[in-house]
Amino acid sequence: MAKYAVLVDVGYLYAAAGEVLLGAKERKEYRVAADELIQFLQKHAMERHQGELLRVYWYDAARDRVPTVDQRVIAQLHYVKVRLGNLNARGQQKGVDAQIRSDLEALARHHAVSDTILIAGDEDMVPAVEAAQAYGVRVHLWGVEPPFGTNQAERLVWESDTVEIITADALRPFFTRAPIPVAVTPPPSPAQVFAGRTAKPAAPPQKQAGQPKLGPSRPRVEEVGEHVAQKWILTRGRDNIRDLLPGPLLPTVIDTELLIEAEKELGHSLRPYPEARVWLRDGFWARVYREFDLGVGVSSK
């Protein structure tokens, strides 16, 4: 039976969709329901190509190639292979194009597929497309509807066997604007503290009762809570997560696991910030309630 593979340059896909749908310039400006987006791409390919899907190759980047929560969730999906390049300090992807070119050529050379669907826009893909075609593999280029003009290299379009543009309306359900982070007032600098200080030291300010310690913003913590819930739904199954309903109380063991997973994603401890732990649970339950079409609740402090 003929087989085909789907190769996705995530940087291109996200950037192009973010621009046309939300006018966004950076990935942090929007959220992506990546698991649902991949299911859409798989179905879209199945409707257009005969044969069996080999797998979806998902090319993305992460700092020091350490996967994020989203990328770990995607890696758990059936028939999906996550390939990570490096994300440098400027937010630029390094090594992603080389991985795409290597896989495209290897699949063709070993006759693993008869067709490949390539979602990309960079002209650097052209040599790999030509090499795959030389081995008898057809290359079908998919792109994202641009707001104007084109967002794919002209030569890449020329060299591909077929070209299809995915409409903005088709991608709209998977992209939403990220909430605006709550501004946190930074502590005063030493210069500000000692400015205008007289020879006689002033009495230190008294800490107000109930004043919270500075910590991560609520939208960021809730987002991480949602990511952990999404990961658990995919890896542990809906039935196991359903056992936690109706909530909003979590068993102690599960609550501790949630905290540990969140701290890994954030890169620091939430234990000094009791209010952040409440936000974390709220984000977790928000995702679980959406999964089972229930109203969003508020966790117990």
Side-chain angles (χ1 to χ4, degrees), residues 81-101:
K81 173 71 72 175
V82 173
R83 300 278 206 215
L84 292 181
N86 190 43
L87 192 66
N88 65 20
R90 297 181 180 179
Q92 299 169 323
Q93 295 186 357
K94 298 296 181 181
V96 173
D97 287 355
Q99 289 181 325
I100 299 175
R101 293 195 300 268

Side-chain angles (χ1 to χ4, degrees), residues 4 7 14 52 57 69 93 103 111 131 135 137 173 175 196 221 284:
Y4 62 90
L7 285 68
Y14 280 14
E52 179 184 355
Y57 291 85
V69 168
Q93 295 186 357
D103 284 343
H111 307 290
Y135 286 107
V137 171
F175 289 79
V221 175
F284 177 89

Side-chain angles (χ1 to χ4, degrees), residues 13 18 24 41 51 107 114 116 135 151 153 216 228 240-241 248 256 263 268 299:
L13 175 60
L41 294 175
L107 288 169
S114 59
T116 58
Y135 286 107
N151 54 25
V228 175
N240 287 330
I241 299 301
T256 303
E263 289 176 338
H268 57 78
S299 66

Side-chain angles (χ1 to χ4, degrees), residues 95-295:
V96 173
D97 287 355
Q99 289 181 325
I100 299 175
R101 293 195 300 268
S102 176
D103 284 343
L104 180 54
E105 292 181 23
L107 288 169
R109 184 171 64 253
H110 294 291
H111 307 290
V113 295
S114 59
D115 296 80
T116 58
I117 297 165
L118 176 63
I119 303 177
D122 200 324
E123 188 170 344
D124 288 350
M125 296 294 108
V126 170
V129 169
E130 293 176 328
Q133 291 169 332
Y135 286 107
V137 171
R138 291 180 291 266
V139 179
H140 309 277
L141 181 66
W142 289 5
V144 175
E145 176 185 347
F148 54 87
T150 182
N151 54 25
Q152 292 175 294
E154 188 175 39
R155 190 174 168 214
L156 180 61
V157 173
W158 290 350
E159 298 298 338
S160 301
D161 291 294
T162 66
V163 179
E164 179 177 346
I165 298 299
I166 303 174
T167 67
D169 286 341
L171 296 172
R172 197 178 306 280
F174 314 112
F175 289 79
T176 55
R177 190 173 298 279
I180 300 174
V182 177
V184 177
T185 303
S189 67
Q192 292 171 323
V193 171
F194 291 99
R197 193 170 186 176
T198 61
K200 183 179 179 180
Q206 298 296 318
K207 181 179 178 181
Q208 298 178 2
Q211 182 179 7
K213 297 179 181 180
L214 292 173
S217 67
R218 178 169 187 160
R220 174 60 177 148
V221 175
E222 289 183 343
E223 178 184 23
V224 170
E226 290 195 35
H227 285 173
V228 175
Q230 181 182 20
K231 175 184 177 182
W232 287 3
I233 290 168
L234 291 172
T235 58
R236 302 186 181 192
R238 295 178 85 252
D239 290 341
N240 287 330
I241 299 301
R242 190 193 299 272
D243 289 342
L244 300 176
L245 295 174
L249 291 175
L250 281 171
T252 302
V253 173
I254 300 296
D255 192 51
T256 303
E257 287 186 40
L258 171 61
L259 176 63
I260 293 172
E261 288 278 354
E263 289 176 338
K264 288 179 182 178
E265 171 66 10
L266 289 166
H268 57 78
S269 176
L270 289 179
R271 298 168 203 239
Y273 311 108
E275 71 283 356
R277 297 191 64 174
V278 174
W279 302 338
L280 178 64
R281 297 181 190 115
D282 288 344
F284 177 89
W285 284 116
R287 178 66 184 89
V288 172
Y289 289 163
R290 285 203 309 274
E291 179 71 19
F292 295 100
D293 297 322
L294 300 175

